[in-house]
Amino acid sequence: MFKKIISIVSAAALGVCCLTGCSNEAAPEKEAKELKKITVAEVTHSVFYAPQYVAMSQGFFEEEGLEIDLVNAQGADKTMAALISGDADIGLMGPEASIYIYNQGEEDYAVNFAQLTQCDGSFLVSREKIDNFSYEDLKGKEVLGGRAGGVPLMTLEYVLKQNGVEIGEDKDKGQCNVRTDVQFAAMAGAFAAGEADFTTAFEPTATQLEKEGTGYIVTSIGKDSGKIPYTAYSTTKSYMKDNKEVLEKFTRALYKAQMWCKDATDKEIAEAIQPYFEDNSIDELVTVAKQYRKIGAWCENPYFEEESLNNLMKVMETAGELEKEAPYDKIVDTSIAQDVIDENK
């Protein structure tokens, strides 16, 4: 089962007196607005997706009449499976999953309608402190890279190849052994336990490893790989046809959050998302927000550009994971995002 993370909705908005301790006799002055509940499956639960949690904590979804049932699918393959099966209405994952499902000939394939992040959100963590890091330092070393076919691994391998690092298991020849045998969720634990010389990690995990003295952040994979549509919201072709108004409301709330994040301070962002990351202090979340803003990780609007999809497919081709390209006009629909952006001009 997915781990559920329900959006925070004020008792006043729902008219549920019992949540605030008042008696049943104290009826609200006017009937609460009925919210439409939609299920959103996220590929993983990460501060990398801060604008999403801002939209939840700041009530932007509720303003649009939506209640978000957020579930952690723990992997793009599982997120897509939830979407295609109808267990989720919307999926937040890398668009590579949409490419795979389209190329497999799925009739009711996934269509991306809003983009959330625009670069890789992982950081390279070294076991030893390196003052002047160069990708040459990975030659003859071992790195935990993630799941085969996943964008984190493909982006890492793309950056390595761009920097002249040969991937392979022969350390004596200076090859970098990129391991794919450790599940994404277990990589930090495996690294802390002594496996490999390097690992990739998203925030706040990377900062936690550094704080614990287990490793040292040496570079941002996203900064070194350039802009790609790392995570986007998608839904099935049939759901888009039948629920366009719902998707418009969802995208409008997301855009409000994106604009809010653009103008907010790192501390304001940290305070807004902390209800969803209770194990992290405000100071830790401030550091994370600063890290992601520094590399321009978050999109300023939900529009999914064709050039960014082409960049992603280039990364996939370099990794040998793309048999044929998927048409932009099939797996991406920008009409909703464009309408929402135009409303704010």
Side-chain angles (χ1 to χ4, degrees):
M1 292 294 292
F2 295 140
K3 176 185 176 184
K4 292 199 171 186
I5 309 164
I6 310 300
S7 67
I8 297 174
V9 182
S10 70
L14 291 174
V16 184
C17 290
C18 61
L19 292 180
T20 56
C22 58
S23 68
N24 292 333
E25 297 177 358
E29 292 184 4
K30 60 182 180 179
E31 189 176 348
K33 180 181 179 181
E34 185 177 352
L35 301 178
K36 180 173 178 57
K37 187 175 182 179
I38 60 174
T39 300
V40 178
E42 58 180 0
V43 62
T44 188
H45 190 60
S46 172
V47 179
F48 188 40
Y49 312 136
Q52 171 179 265
Y53 310 119
V54 166
M56 295 171 72
S57 71
Q58 301 304 299
F60 296 147
F61 286 120
E62 287 83 353
E63 289 175 6
E64 295 297 327
L66 301 178
E67 178 185 351
I68 304 299
D69 180 9
L70 187 65
V71 298
N72 182 356
Q74 299 183 353
D77 51 344
K78 296 182 179 65
T79 306
M80 182 58 74
L83 193 65
I84 297 299
S85 68
D87 289 336
D89 303 307
I90 294 172
L92 173 65
M93 66 191 109
E96 82 283 355
S98 302
I99 296 172
Y100 292 144
I101 206 75
Y102 179 85
N103 284 343
Q104 287 170 9
E106 177 71 36
E107 184 175 345
D108 194 17
Y109 55 83
V111 180
N112 298 278
F113 65 90
Q115 188 175 332
L116 182 66
T117 61
Q118 59 186 359
C119 72
D120 189 304
S122 60
F123 294 83
L124 187 64
V125 180
S126 169
R127 186 168 306 284
E128 304 295 334
K129 185 176 175 61
I130 303 174
D131 292 327
N132 297 299
F133 172 77
S134 165
Y135 280 98
E136 294 282 322
D137 296 320
L138 286 173
K139 290 184 176 181
K141 302 295 184 180
E142 187 173 81
V143 55
L144 302 180
R147 179 179 63 85
V151 174
L153 176 66
M154 289 190 286
T155 310
L156 171 65
E157 292 183 340
Y158 176 78
V159 171
L160 292 180
K161 291 174 182 177
Q162 291 295 106
N163 285 273
V165 179
E166 185 179 356
I167 298 170
E169 298 182 5
D170 194 335
K171 294 183 180 181
D172 292 336
K173 291 183 178 180
Q175 293 180 338
C176 176
N177 182 20
V178 180
R179 288 176 51 184
T180 61
D181 60 322
V182 180
Q183 292 186 357
F184 178 81
M187 284 166 56
F191 182 75
E195 293 195 40
D197 305 296
F198 294 83
T199 188
T200 56
F202 281 73
E203 292 288 17
T205 304
T207 293
Q208 289 175 332
L209 287 171
E210 195 165 61
K211 185 178 180 179
E212 294 165 0
T214 305
Y216 303 86
I217 298 173
V218 292
T219 191
S220 158
I221 302 298
K223 174 179 67 68
D224 298 334
S225 61
K227 284 190 176 183
I228 57 173
Y230 205 77
T231 39
Y233 292 98
S234 61
T235 189
T236 59
K237 188 172 63 170
S238 61
Y239 187 91
M240 175 169 282
K241 179 182 178 181
D242 298 335
N243 298 274
K244 187 173 182 180
E245 185 179 354
V246 172
L247 298 178
E248 287 173 346
K249 291 178 178 180
F250 183 91
T251 306
R252 191 175 294 114
L254 173 65
Y255 188 33
K256 288 178 184 178
Q258 290 173 321
M259 291 189 291
W260 189 94
C261 288
K262 181 181 177 181
D263 296 331
T265 65
D266 296 331
K267 186 175 182 181
E268 287 171 337
I269 292 174
E271 291 172 343
I273 67 176
Q274 194 182 34
Y276 306 97
F277 298 93
E278 294 180 343
D279 292 338
N280 299 105
S281 68
I282 287 293
D283 287 343
E284 287 175 329
L285 293 176
V286 167
T287 298
V288 172
K290 188 176 296 184
Q291 289 267 54
Y292 279 136
R293 295 178 87 171
K294 184 178 180 181
I295 63 172
W298 302 324
C299 296
E300 294 185 359
N301 65 62
Y303 193 90
F304 191 133
E305 296 182 351
E306 184 172 5
E307 182 181 357
S308 64
L309 180 66
N310 291 336
N311 290 341
L312 172 61
M313 289 193 288
K314 181 180 178 181
V315 169
M316 295 172 70
E317 287 171 353
T318 302
E321 295 290 345
L322 186 63
E323 293 183 2
K324 63 177 180 178
E325 296 186 352
Y328 172 77
D329 60 356
K330 294 292 186 181
I331 65 167
V332 177
D333 187 322
T334 60
S335 62
I336 294 174
Q338 188 62 65
D339 288 346
V340 167
I341 294 170
D342 289 344
E343 290 172 1
N344 289 274
K345 286 184 178 178

